[in-house]
Amino acid sequence: MKQTTFASAAWDKKGKVTRRERFLGEMDRVVPWGAILALIEPHYPKAGNGTQPLPMERMLRIYFMQQWFNLSDPAMEDALYDSESMRRFAGVELVEDAIPDETTILRFRHLLERHQLTQQVFNLVRGLLEQKRLLLKSGTIVDATIIEAPPSTKNEAKARDPQMKQSKKGPNWHFGMKAHVGTDLNGLVHTLVTTHAAASEFNQLPKLLHGQERELYGDQAYWSEFHRVAARERGIRYRVNRRPNPGRPLSEYQRRLNRLRSATRARGEHAFHVVKSLWGFTKVRYRGLAKNTARLFTMFALANLYLVRRRLLAT
């Protein structure tokens, strides 16, 4: 039995459940810990005669908290010392347990990246939600968002990240990467593709479909008359917002139709709101697409669970 510290005992009597504590409690109950740990276990270091690895579940919980609170490896280590709610979520007691340092946290992240485990976690969560009939395949909404990257060349390499590109959105220029997603009609992500920010959204469309759609929604960037005809021949209702041609503005009927379609299409941005607005992933933390893509797979898997957490808790 673990020895309880004075700080831990005082926490038990504080009389108020904080928002962070409530959030961690909800996510603790909806994350499929056993299934995810089974994915990681074959790749995780085994105990031997040398330095003993820290418990795998503790490291996974710390990794997830990094995503939820947008913390670097050093900041995550500091947070474990500062926050009792985070220590409890990770299963750490200051008196008895070693808090992993930033290097240990980094090595666990690298292990997930090296073996493409975050994509496997995303697929696992998607399959779980499909089994529970929370993620449906009747329709797909396609959308994309830009994740900014540092444009400065004041770094060791004296250059921008070569895998990031510049793109114009409205009157503003953005340097970074794009996350392209296909979601169901409720906004749960079933497919993720990443590119540099200058990549065409239209060209990514075929990669975002699972092939069983009966409806397809998207903004004007995805409009194609050829695709509309092809979708009709396959029995798919093509609900992509129509784009005006040069010199031929949309009719009032077409604009009204676009507005009606946008009411459904907007649900595809729910996961973006969670990942970018609630969890703070608006700028890349690492150089290159691979590491940031690995992080996005984790974040969209967790965002899916977050979006349906109350329905999962009710079952």
Side-chain angles (χ1 to χ4, degrees), residues 136-247:
L136 305 177
K137 292 189 173 182
S138 59
T140 286
I141 305 169
V142 291
D143 207 347
T145 190
I146 295 175
I147 310 292
E148 306 277 353
S152 174
T153 59
K154 295 180 180 179
N155 51 52
E156 187 176 339
K158 306 297 182 184
R160 290 179 169 185
D161 187 337
Q163 294 189 22
M164 305 293 170
K165 300 292 183 183
Q166 187 166 274
S167 177
K168 191 174 184 181
K169 187 174 182 181
N172 301 315
W173 287 92
H174 302 269
F175 179 76
M177 65 181 291
K178 272 184 185 176
H180 308 260
V181 301
T183 79
D184 74 355
L185 297 184
N186 292 317
L188 298 180
V189 179
H190 59 67
T191 309
L192 167 67
V193 174
T194 60
T195 64
H196 57 72
S200 165
E201 296 172 20
F202 177 81
N203 291 338
Q204 307 308 314
L205 175 59
K207 304 175 187 176
L208 301 177
L209 306 179
H210 52 63
Q212 300 179 40
E213 295 89 356
R214 296 194 297 274
E215 290 182 291
L216 174 62
Y217 288 84
D219 64 24
Q220 294 181 11
Y222 298 97
W223 168 263
S224 164
E225 178 64 22
F226 174 79
H227 284 173
R228 187 185 72 82
V229 173
R232 184 176 60 187
E233 291 175 351
R234 293 178 55 190
I236 298 173
R237 292 184 287 275
Y238 191 75
R239 308 301 192 208
V240 176
N241 284 14
R242 184 180 290 270
R243 182 171 55 234
N245 295 320

Side-chain angles (χ1 to χ4, degrees), residues 25-37:
E26 290 177 346
M27 297 307 293
D28 184 30
R29 292 161 61 190
V30 300
V31 171
W33 297 107
I36 296 175
L37 290 170

